[in-house]
Amino acid sequence: MTKAKQPPAPAPAAPAPAAAAAKLSETNRLKAERLKDMLETKYSKQREDTEEMSRRRAELEEQMQGMNLNEAQKKKYRDELGKLEAQSRREGMRRLTTDDFTPLSIIGRGAFGEVRLVRKNDSGEVFALKSMTKEAMVHKNQVGHVQAERDVLASADNNWIVGLQFSFQDDINLYMVMEFLPGGDLMSLLMKEDTFPEGATRQYMAEMIQAVACVHGLGYVHRDLKPDNILLDWQGHLKLTDLGLSKKVEIDAGYFGATPEDLNVNAAAARLDTRPLPDRKATHVRGQTNLPRDRKLAYSTVGTPDYIAPEVLSQKGYGPECDWWSLGVIMYECLVGYTPFYADDPVMTCRKILRWQQFFDVPDHISRALSTSCMDFLLSFVCNADSRLGRTSMDEIRSHPWFAGLDWGALRAAPAPYKPDRADQIGGLLEQIRTLDARDGRMAAAVNQLTSNFDDFEEEDQSRWGGQKKVGRRDKDNDFVGYTFRRAAPGARGAVATSLFSAEGAAKAGGA
């Protein structure tokens, strides 16, 4: 019997396409750069700590010179300083976990994680804790974005960007512990008020401009400015949050560069945040090639469709001026009550933006009610990138006639246009939550009042909070090297010496 002919052996697998190999190479390069940055930061911090320790010891010796102490007393002071230094080092080295916080309420939820109101167990301080699932970050190619957000928040130390206090990780999640802003977001305020008068819009625009200037000053483009990402503190002043799409870039002649990507409008729309905008009268809107790349410009198409700049949708590159377009769209929404390029289909929104001259229109009854300088400022942001205000310097924006007489250095000292609900009670509520036992019946009521400006969310996935199990090949130090961060408390470096020379410290060292 003749043996049946066997099929030929399968050919060896073809090598990976050049594009895939290049992507892998780029991923490894970014990881190597991340590790390098982490080590540089670590050893720079160690040098700073060593220099600070030497300074404190020299300060101690100088102060003891005028205290008429004998050698035994001086030794006690030196020993006490050593103990305080060691205690400070131990506290700085201790890794945070979710066990250090008590979860109180879910105040936000997105595609990759959620935000909870939490209380730090040792101090009682109230924070907003953002958790993000590592597997989702990796699967959706969000590793670079989450690292960028952590980096810019860690770099920021000002009144215009939400403050990051800690970041840490476990085997499942990434965590960012940020200041809690009880006023909710600007979108919620717009939902409530529908539109703002020109004076209120001017104040908010000035604050947003200061916030964006801080982001640019740190060497980042935000790229996702929208009312949802602008939070209000308890006095009603603004701060930027959600910098997950921000890009670290080099500053050169007012422009920032990033990695090029080839995208057309349909592919771009598929990558954008296409969740529908709230129904806020968003109905009556008028009229319903491969080019050489400039490495100084960015090309990634990111952002939310309604607020995205036309140059971001094109393939010609863009710089930080794309953020000013987004602020122009937000200004329009504050004054008119809806966005200028709204469409049910995100692809149509993108097409409208690319042909913005055809579709952009301020209703007559709105334009007649606005000052000439207000209209001029709006049109100086919603325009072509090469003529947009702020493309060369911040002075262009601050010196515009619409802001004549405005004290840019006192924006946060001036009364905000709107104060959050229960603003006068917030201090008392925070103190209650800081001190009450978690099982106290008054705790739930206090939390509900404190979070009244946020939507209600049901508990869905407890693993997002404090998950400790292993997750296969995902090692926490692989994709997220250098993620951990701890912000030094204000005046912390002087606290050791101050406590040493307190009455208690003097008693311990001098035997008084």
Side-chain angles (χ1 to χ4, degrees):
M1 186 172 180
T2 306
K3 189 175 181 180
K5 185 176 181 181
Q6 298 296 316
K23 183 176 181 180
L24 179 60
S25 177
E26 176 68 7
T27 300
N28 290 336
R29 184 186 66 80
L30 292 174
K31 285 184 180 180
E33 287 184 358
R34 187 80 196 172
L35 178 59
K36 176 176 174 287
D37 291 343
M38 183 199 72
L39 292 174
E40 287 178 350
T41 301
K42 175 181 178 180
Y43 291 118
S44 175
K45 174 87 166 47
Q46 287 180 353
R47 285 194 300 272
E48 290 177 5
D49 290 344
T50 300
E51 291 170 359
E52 183 66 21
M53 187 183 303
S54 299
R55 186 196 63 77
R56 282 195 291 261
R57 289 176 179 174
E59 184 181 282
L60 172 64
E61 295 296 330
E62 183 180 343
Q63 293 189 46
M64 288 193 300
Q65 289 295 326
M67 294 176 66
N68 196 27
L69 303 175
N70 58 38
E71 284 303 315
Q73 291 171 324
K74 289 181 180 179
K75 183 178 184 302
K76 287 184 178 181
Y77 267 123
R78 294 177 186 124
D79 291 345
E80 184 65 20
L81 177 59
K83 291 178 184 177
L84 290 171
E85 294 277 11
Q87 179 182 342
S88 178
R89 284 196 302 273
R90 284 195 299 271
E91 180 61 25
M93 292 171 62
R94 193 179 71 82
R95 289 184 177 273
L96 287 175
T97 72
T98 52
D99 292 337
D100 292 295
F101 301 89
T102 298
L104 302 174
S105 176
I106 301 176
I107 57 176
R109 178 170 286 139
F112 305 116
E114 61 192 18
V115 182
R116 292 176 184 257
L117 186 73
V118 299
R119 182 175 70 178
K120 197 164 186 289
N121 295 334
D122 59 356
S123 65
E125 293 175 279
V126 174
F127 295 107
L129 187 149
K130 181 178 180 178
S131 62
M132 296 157 285
T133 308
K134 285 184 175 182
E135 282 297 315
M137 294 287 105
V138 175
H139 182 66
K140 298 293 185 179
N141 297 318
Q142 296 296 307
V143 173
H145 290 160
V146 74
Q147 291 283 24
E149 180 175 30
R150 177 266 183 212
D151 290 349
V152 69
L153 290 177
S155 302
D157 188 12
N158 57 64
N159 289 324
W160 299 110
I161 299 175
V162 172
L164 176 67
Q165 300 302 313
F166 313 98
S167 60
F168 60 97
Q169 57 183 296
D170 56 32
D171 293 316
I172 294 178
N173 298 322
L174 301 169
Y175 303 94
M176 291 197 298
V177 182
M178 299 174 286
E179 66 174 315
F180 171 63
L181 299 182
D185 58 47
L186 189 63
M187 176 58 81
S188 297
L189 184 58
L190 278 168
M191 293 277 290
K192 178 181 176 183
E193 300 293 333
D194 191 41
T195 61
F196 299 150
E198 181 178 333
T201 302
R202 178 176 179 260
Q203 172 76 12
Y204 283 145
M205 284 301 297
E207 295 193 6
M208 283 185 264
I209 286 164
Q210 291 292 80
V212 173
C214 288
V215 175
H216 291 177
L218 292 169
Y220 290 83
V221 185
H222 190 288
R223 305 198 299 179
D224 194 23
L225 291 167
K226 55 185 176 180
D228 315 64
N229 292 341
I230 300 168
L231 299 182
L232 295 95
D233 64 17
W234 68 276
Q235 293 180 313
H237 293 289
L238 305 181
K239 288 195 177 188
L240 283 184
T241 188
D242 202 348
L243 289 99
L245 294 182
S246 59
K247 180 69 178 178
K248 178 71 172 177
V249 286
E250 296 177 359
I251 300 175
D252 182 14
Y255 286 91
F256 298 79
T259 304
E261 295 179 19
D262 292 317
L263 294 165
N264 57 40
V265 173
N266 290 297
R271 294 184 54 191
L272 300 175
D273 182 351
T274 57
R275 290 171 293 177
L277 290 172
D279 183 10
R280 294 177 47 249
K281 301 182 180 179
T283 53
H284 60 288
V285 184
R286 175 186 163 200
Q288 324 268 8
T289 73
N290 292 326
L291 298 174
R293 302 291 188 173
D294 183 344
R295 71 176 190 87
K296 297 296 191 293
L297 303 178
Y299 295 87
S300 303
T301 306
V302 296
T304 302
D306 290 78
Y307 306 93
I308 199 166
E311 65 268 20
V312 176
L313 290 172
S314 72
Q315 299 182 32
K316 298 179 181 179
Y318 59 91
E321 69 282 350
C322 70
D323 285 341
W324 302 129
W325 168 283
S326 300
L327 285 197
V329 174
I330 294 172
M331 178 180 172
Y332 181 103
E333 187 172 14
C334 290
L335 294 168
V336 179
Y338 52 86
T339 54
F341 307 107
Y342 175 81
D344 292 331
D345 179 7
V347 174
M348 181 54 68
T349 297
C350 293
R351 288 174 176 164
K352 282 185 173 184
I353 292 169
L354 285 171
R355 299 195 296 273
W356 68 269
Q357 295 94 334
Q358 176 183 346
F359 291 96
F360 183 74
D361 178 59
V362 180
D364 289 343
H365 72 283
I366 299 292
S367 61
R368 287 195 299 266
L370 299 176
S371 67
T372 302
S373 59
C374 178
M375 280 295 297
D376 182 78
F377 185 80
L378 174 62
L379 297 176
S380 72
F381 270 6
V382 185
C383 62
N384 287 327
D386 57 4
S387 59
R388 196 170 300 151
L389 198 67
R391 66 192 180 281
T392 58
S393 73
M394 281 300 301
D395 290 340
E396 286 185 344
I397 297 174
R398 295 189 179 112
S399 61
H400 189 277
W402 193 42
F403 296 119
L406 183 70
D407 186 349
W408 288 90
L411 289 177
R412 300 196 81 85
Y418 300 93
K419 269 198 169 185
D421 294 339
R422 299 187 175 89
D424 297 333
Q425 305 173 31
I426 287 173
L429 291 171
L430 286 170
E431 185 58 29
Q432 261 193 298
I433 294 171
R434 178 192 289 266
T435 56
L436 282 176
D437 186 282
R439 296 164 293 183
D440 192 306
R442 294 170 292 176
M443 176 66 89
V447 169
N448 286 337
Q449 291 182 61
L450 189 63
T451 59
S452 61
N453 291 307
F454 295 85
D455 294 334
D456 294 325
F457 296 91
E458 296 294 329
E459 185 74 64
E460 287 183 354
D461 183 4
Q462 187 63 35
S463 71
R464 280 183 170 177
W465 174 260
Q468 300 296 327
K469 65 182 179 180
K470 295 292 181 181
V471 285
R473 68 177 186 84
R474 289 269 70 83
D475 183 271
K476 65 181 180 181
D477 293 323
N478 185 17
D479 291 295
F480 304 99
V481 171
Y483 188 79
T484 301
F485 170 78
R486 181 189 297 262
R487 188 176 299 280
R493 290 186 169 182
V496 173
T498 300
S499 64
L500 180 63
F501 285 102
S502 65
E504 181 182 359
K508 288 181 179 178

